[in-house]
Amino acid sequence: MTDAFTVVGATVAAASLEFAEFSLTALADAARVVVPVVAAWLALLWLGRTREPGILGSGAAEYKRVAHATGFAFGILSILFVIFQLNGLRLQLAIALPVGLLALLVGRWLWRKRLIQERKNGDCVSRAIVAGTRPDVEYVIRNLLRDPHHCYRVIAVTTNGHDPIVVDGTSFPVVGGIQSTADRARFSGADAIIVASTPKGDRDFLRRLAWQLEGAAAELVVCSRLTEVAGPRISFTPLDGLPLIQVKIPEFEGGVHAFKRAFDLVFSSLALIPILLLTPFIALAIRLDSPGPVFFRQTRVGRDGGYFQIFKFRTMRVDAEAQLELLRAGNEGAGPLFKLRRDPRVTRVGAFLRKYSLDELPQFFNVLRGEMSVVGPRPPLPREVLDYDGTVCRRLYIKPGITGLWQVSGRSDLSWEESVRLDLRYVENWSLTSDLMIMWRTAQVMLTPKGAY
C-alpha cells in the first residue's frame, strides 16, 4: 500500500504540472500518461520481487531491487512513448522518477526500522533450530545474537552431546542429534532449520533433510563461512548432477574504482564547504581549551602500504605522544589498537569532538588529495601494521576511509577479530549502494555516538 500511494502520488503530482489546465480534455490527457506510468511502475516493482519476504528488511539488497525496478519501468515507458509518439512523459522523468524513487526508498527504510524494532521485541521472526557440530552451532548463534536485523530466534539445537549450549549468557537446549533434525523440527513446530555444518562423511545429509522437511512448513537455511566475505560475489551454475558455486575473484583496479574516486571527489568537495565554515569556531574552542596547534598530523598507512599524513582537529595535549608509553599498560583497545575509555591526554573540547566524530572532518582534505576515500577500512598506524598477518594485510588493498563498517558497527567497542572481519568484507564486496548506506548510518552514529572515545 505504501508503494502504491507513493507511485500514484508522484505520477499525479508530475501530471498536474504538465496538464495544469482544469478541463475534461486535460484530465483525459493526464490519465493517458498517469495510468500507464503507474501500471508499469507497480508491475515492475512486483516483477522485480521487491516485496519478497526474504528481501524485506535486508537493507542494500532491497533498495537495489527497488531502484532497478524503477529504472527498468521508466526505460520501458520511454521506449513505448517514443514508438507511439505519445506526449507527457517528460515531467514524469524529471519529477516523478527522482521524487518517487526517493519516497519509495524512504518508505522502505521506515518500514525496515519498524520491522527491526518488532524483531528486537521477538515478533516477526522465525523460530529456528540450529544443527551442526557444537563449535559451528555456537558460531552461528553468536552471530545471530549480535545482529538484531535477522529474522531468526533460536529455540533449540541438534548436535552431539546432551549438555545445553551457552552463548553470551543465554542457554539453548540440545533436543537431539543432528540426524534427528527433521523430527525435532516437526515436534517443536520450528519455522526454519539452520544447518551450521553437516555430519562428517555424509554427503547426502542436506538432500535427505530437505526431503524429510517436505510438508513440515519449515525453511532450510545453510550457513557457509564462504558467504562471510564473498557473499555478493557468489553465483550458482546448474550442471546435471553437479550444481556449482562460482565465486568471482575480487578486483581492486578498473572502472568501478575510478567511479568510486569520482564520487569521493564530488562528495568531499561539497562536504568541505560547511566544514570550512565550522573550522574557525572549532579552532577557537581548541585554542582556548589548551595551548598548541589546531590541527594534528599523524603518519598513517594507506593503500598498498604507502605512508601519508592524516589531518585531524587536535583533541589531546601537545605532549600526548610522549605520554603514550606510560599509559600503554592500561590499554583497553583490541588487538594492536591502543585505546583508553578515559584517556587523561584528551582535552575537554577534544572529548566533545571525539564523541561526535568532529575531529575527523579535516580528513576530507586527505580524500581530495587521493590518500583516503570517504568510505573504507580504518587507516592504521605504522606500528599496528607491523603486527598484521597475511590475512589482515588485505585491508590495505584499497584506500582507507573516513568512515566504514567498523565505525557504524561499534567502533572501539568491537573486538579485533570482528573489526578485521568487517573490513575484509567491505574491501572485497564494496558497492556504491553500500557506501551510501554506510554514510547514512554514519550520520546516525554521529548523533547517537557509541564506542567513540
Side-chain angles (χ1 to χ4, degrees):
M1 290 179 63
T2 305
D3 287 351
F5 279 120
T6 300
V7 168
V8 171
T11 52
V12 169
S16 65
L17 296 175
E18 181 81 16
F19 306 97
E21 180 184 352
F22 185 78
S23 64
L24 291 178
T25 302
L27 289 176
D29 291 338
R32 279 195 290 269
V33 175
V34 170
V35 171
V37 171
V38 170
W41 202 341
L42 291 178
L44 265 297
L45 287 173
W46 174 66
L47 292 173
R49 300 183 297 173
T50 66
R51 289 188 290 271
E52 278 192 341
I55 203 71
L56 291 177
S58 62
E62 180 183 3
Y63 303 149
K64 282 182 180 179
R65 288 196 185 186
V66 171
H68 290 167
T70 299
F72 196 28
F74 276 89
I76 294 175
L77 287 168
S78 299
I79 294 173
L80 293 177
F81 270 64
V82 169
I83 291 176
F84 295 102
Q85 296 294 303
L86 301 176
N87 297 321
L89 191 64
R90 181 178 55 187
L91 282 186
Q92 294 293 331
L93 289 169
I95 297 177
L97 172 58
V99 173
L101 177 58
L102 178 61
L104 282 173
L105 295 177
V106 170
R108 295 300 184 99
W109 176 74
L110 291 173
W111 279 115
R112 181 171 181 261
K113 298 284 286 185
R114 168 72 178 272
L115 181 60
I116 291 173
Q117 188 58 49
E118 297 259 347
R119 288 174 175 172
K120 286 181 178 179
N121 296 333
D123 300 322
C124 301
V125 292
S126 297
R127 301 167 72 248
I129 290 179
V130 183
T133 63
R134 297 183 77 90
D136 290 329
V137 166
E138 290 177 4
Y139 174 80
V140 169
I141 293 177
R142 185 172 292 107
N143 280 276
L144 290 177
L145 293 177
R146 184 187 300 121
D147 185 2
H149 299 176
H150 68 80
C151 57
Y152 302 108
R153 178 167 63 87
V154 179
I155 60 172
V157 170
T158 55
T159 186
N160 52 301
H162 302 284
D163 296 333
I165 289 182
V166 180
V167 179
D168 296 339
T170 304
S171 178
F172 299 90
V174 176
V175 295
I178 187 172
Q179 297 291 356
S180 66
T181 300
D183 293 334
R184 296 298 94 194
R186 288 193 181 89
F187 181 78
S188 63
D191 304 303
I193 305 297
I194 302 176
V195 180
S197 58
T198 59
K200 188 175 182 180
D202 191 350
R203 292 181 298 178
D204 294 327
F205 172 76
L206 285 176
R207 178 189 297 179
R208 190 169 60 253
L209 179 60
W211 290 343
Q212 293 170 344
L213 291 174
E214 290 178 358
E219 175 188 8
L220 181 59
V221 182
V222 180
C223 176
S224 172
R225 297 290 181 96
L226 179 63
T227 60
E228 288 184 5
V229 174
R233 294 182 282 112
I234 291 177
S235 60
F236 297 90
T237 302
L239 188 68
D240 288 344
L242 186 64
L244 302 177
I245 298 177
Q246 290 184 325
V247 181
K248 183 181 178 183
I249 303 301
E251 299 178 357
F252 304 104
E253 300 286 352
V256 291
H257 287 271
F259 183 74
K260 181 178 176 69
R261 175 58 182 156
F263 175 80
D264 286 341
L265 286 172
V266 173
F267 187 85
S268 58
S269 298
L270 295 175
L272 281 172
I273 297 174
I275 290 173
L276 291 174
L277 296 176
L278 285 173
T279 296
F281 301 100
I282 296 176
L284 180 61
I286 293 173
R287 292 300 298 271
L288 291 176
D289 187 42
S290 66
V294 171
F295 295 100
F296 173 71
R297 298 175 64 182
Q298 190 177 47
T299 301
R300 296 292 180 103
V301 181
R303 183 176 181 180
D304 297 329
Y307 289 1
F308 70 96
Q309 294 291 311
I310 197 172
F311 296 101
K312 287 187 175 187
F313 286 119
R314 183 173 59 85
T315 59
M316 292 185 174
R317 304 196 307 260
V318 290
D319 62 344
E321 290 297 317
Q323 300 295 320
L324 179 60
E325 292 302 324
L326 299 177
L327 300 172
R328 192 172 293 279
N331 182 24
E332 299 173 342
L337 304 180
F338 178 83
K339 285 287 184 179
L340 289 176
R341 293 182 181 273
R342 301 186 183 278
D343 196 322
R345 301 172 299 168
V346 178
T347 63
R348 289 174 300 175
V349 171
F352 177 84
L353 296 178
R354 285 184 167 215
K355 181 177 181 180
Y356 295 100
S357 300
L358 298 176
D359 60 315
E360 298 176 358
L361 293 180
Q363 292 172 29
F364 281 101
F365 285 106
N366 292 112
V367 176
L368 277 182
R369 293 168 54 166
E371 298 160 337
M372 295 181 65
S373 181
V374 175
V375 182
R378 174 188 168 277
L381 292 163
R383 64 172 179 268
E384 296 170 0
V385 176
L386 293 176
D387 295 330
Y388 281 7
D389 58 23
T391 300
V392 183
C393 282
R394 296 182 66 84
R395 300 169 88 181
L396 307 178
Y397 283 8
I398 64 175
K399 294 176 183 176
I402 298 176
T403 185
L405 281 175
W406 50 274
Q407 189 175 42
V408 301
S409 303
R411 288 191 274 191
S412 298
D413 288 341
L414 292 174
S415 68
W416 172 247
E417 292 76 14
E418 182 67 12
S419 176
V420 170
R421 186 179 70 86
L422 290 174
D423 277 345
L424 293 183
R425 188 172 70 184
Y426 175 82
V427 166
E428 298 188 356
N429 301 292
W430 77 270
S431 67
L432 180 59
T433 304
S434 65
D435 278 6
L436 293 174
M437 290 186 62
I438 290 172
M439 291 162 63
W440 172 251
R441 291 174 62 187
T442 300
Q444 295 177 299
V445 169
M446 290 176 67
L447 296 175
T448 55
K450 179 183 178 183
Y453 50 85

